[in-house]
Amino acid sequence: MMFSVPLPFVASLLFLLTGFLLYKRKGRFQVGVVKFVLFCALGTFIVGLRWTFDLAILRYTQSVFSATLPVITWLCFTLNGEGAWQRLRHFIAPLLIAGLAYYPDLWLGAVDVSIALLFFVYGIGLFVSARYVPNDARLSDFEQIVIAKKVAGTMLIFSAFVDGLLSVDYLANDFIHAEIIVSISYFVMIPAIVWALIIVSSSIPINDPSQSTHTEEENAALSKVYLSEDEAREVVGRLDSMMKREALFKDPDLTLSRLGRKLGCPAKRVSMAVNQVYGRNISKVLNEYRIRYAMNALCETEESITDIFLQAGFQSKSNFNREFLRVAGITPTQYRLNHKQAESIQQQGVA
């Protein structure tokens, strides 16, 4: 008879190995990523035990883990967007669900419905939060952060859908397919969330002294205040002067927090002002400064395009080419060629 290991135990082992590898590279990632992966390893191990032995304590523990997972995911992705007390209030719902799960016969399907609702709410929340620029993340990484948050949000919503399938399986088949449904969903959902979290975490400069210049409570309050047109233009004017004077856009690790510190005002206020005046997020505006620098370098130097986009503050050629096309309407190569042709025609006219 062939020995087989339940799928959740395999997943748990893979998460442990992933956590170990991330820990060895902790200079590149926030420590929260490692903690999240280890939390997932523990959770999938509990799921494996629950479907192997089916003890009441294991059913209860799995319910508590499931209720906590979307909250932990949200807190990992919100970076420094909430204060300590604001973060603690997210655990109220898991605590209530833990109370419901303690009396499963009394509350019937309330636990499953509550957990599914929790996954759905936090999934939608991640989609909404993807629109905002994180204070401590590299502004040049904003686009990939948006994608990562939307992937994580999709996975939480997917889990809510899976909980619905479990309810159907319970009503129609008395949980015959529950183990395989849960196992497969965890194999899809958690690895995708871990990948997304790694993307977001790697976009945060390690030991950036400008991080959290203002308290999270101050930034949260200021984000709800509408700036007058004069106030917004005053902030943008100072930002423009600083960019031209100090060329901060050349720093690939530039964050919203660092900009706020340089300007002497909360990071959220800078982001709001830029959005009001330009109608674009600050990441796009920052890239426009970089593109203008690159356009000038393409015309006045013979440096390679790679050297130019790195000097301008871009970290990848694909991002540079995409942003250059957005701003200039043509590729960097074509822009340089057009300039040389125009110069040649002008010189022939003078001759």
Side-chain angles (χ1 to χ4, degrees):
M1 182 176 179
M2 184 177 293
F3 176 74
S4 63
V5 180
L7 201 56
F9 290 135
V10 176
S12 183
L13 179 60
L14 291 175
F15 289 137
L16 280 174
L17 291 174
T18 302
F20 175 75
L21 292 175
L22 290 175
Y23 176 77
K24 297 296 287 185
R25 303 181 68 187
K26 60 184 176 181
R28 287 193 57 198
F29 304 105
Q30 300 292 311
V31 68
V33 179
V34 177
K35 292 180 179 179
F36 181 80
V37 173
L38 294 179
F39 173 76
C40 292
L42 175 63
T44 51
F45 183 74
I46 291 171
V47 171
L49 290 177
R50 181 257 185 273
W51 291 109
T52 302
F53 300 106
D54 195 26
L55 300 175
I57 183 63
L58 293 175
R59 292 196 296 271
Y60 175 77
T61 306
Q62 182 188 344
S63 296
V64 173
F65 168 76
S66 298
T68 308
L69 182 58
V71 171
I72 297 295
T73 302
W74 168 264
L75 295 179
C76 285
F77 278 95
T78 51
L79 303 177
N80 71 329
E82 296 182 329
W85 288 109
Q86 289 176 309
R87 296 167 79 85
L88 283 175
R89 71 183 181 186
H90 289 282
F91 289 97
I92 294 175
L95 285 173
L96 291 174
I97 292 174
L100 293 176
Y102 196 76
Y103 302 99
D105 295 332
L106 178 63
W107 301 108
L108 298 177
V111 173
D112 294 333
V113 173
S114 299
I115 291 175
L117 183 61
L118 208 58
F119 272 92
F120 182 78
V121 168
Y122 279 99
I124 295 297
L126 280 175
F127 259 91
V128 173
S129 70
R131 298 181 300 172
Y132 303 105
V133 180
N135 288 4
D136 295 337
R138 296 184 189 90
L139 291 171
S140 56
D141 292 339
F142 177 64
E143 299 299 330
Q144 67 183 33
I145 291 174
V146 170
I147 294 172
K149 280 191 170 186
K150 287 184 176 180
V151 167
T154 300
M155 289 299 101
L156 292 184
I157 295 171
F158 165 75
S159 182
F161 173 73
V162 168
D163 284 338
L165 283 181
L166 287 174
S167 298
V168 172
D169 186 57
Y170 171 72
L171 294 173
N173 305 306
D174 195 27
F175 274 146
I176 293 177
H177 306 104
E179 181 178 357
I180 189 65
I181 292 173
V182 171
S183 299
I184 292 176
S185 68
Y186 272 56
F187 248 117
V188 173
M189 176 186 65
I190 295 181
I193 292 177
V194 168
W195 168 84
L197 187 56
I198 289 173
I199 294 296
V200 172
S201 180
S202 63
S203 73
I204 305 172
I206 303 297
N207 298 323
D208 185 349
S210 71
Q211 290 185 10
S212 303
T213 302
H214 299 270
T215 67
E216 294 162 349
E217 290 82 358
E218 287 174 341
N219 281 331
L222 284 162
S223 67
K224 300 174 184 177
V225 178
Y226 179 80
L227 297 177
S228 68
E229 184 176 350
D230 289 341
E231 289 174 324
R233 291 193 178 278
E234 189 272 335
V235 172
V236 167
R238 285 195 289 140
L239 175 66
D240 184 61
S241 297
M242 185 179 65
M243 283 294 176
K244 291 175 179 176
R245 183 177 65 253
E246 301 182 30
L248 288 178
F249 56 83
K250 289 185 177 182
D251 181 5
D253 288 336
L254 187 63
T255 66
L256 193 54
S257 288
R258 187 177 299 175
L259 276 180
R261 178 171 61 87
K262 287 281 188 179
L263 288 171
C265 66
K268 291 292 185 183
R269 194 178 183 88
V270 178
S271 180
M272 287 170 56
V274 169
N275 273 284
Q276 284 182 218
V277 174
Y278 292 112
R280 299 183 295 282
N281 66 58
I282 194 166
S283 177
K284 292 288 186 186
V285 173
L286 176 68
N287 281 341
E288 287 161 16
Y289 281 103
R290 291 170 170 163
I291 293 301
R292 284 194 287 271
Y293 171 87
M295 291 167 71
N296 186 61
L298 286 168
C299 295
E300 297 186 359
T301 73
E302 294 298 324
E303 292 183 282
S304 69
I305 292 177
T306 298
D307 287 339
I308 289 173
F309 81 69
L310 290 174
Q311 290 171 18
F314 286 99
Q315 294 180 296
S316 70
K317 191 170 184 178
S318 60
N319 189 29
F320 170 67
N321 286 336
R322 184 176 63 252
E323 289 297 287
F324 198 99
L325 186 62
R326 178 179 69 85
V327 175
I330 56 176
T331 65
T333 302
Q334 188 61 50
Y335 183 85
R336 172 174 266 176
L337 180 60
N338 289 354
H339 175 75
K340 287 182 177 180
Q341 290 175 345
E343 270 194 336
S344 178
I345 293 172
Q346 185 178 19
Q347 289 172 359
Q348 290 175 6
V350 172

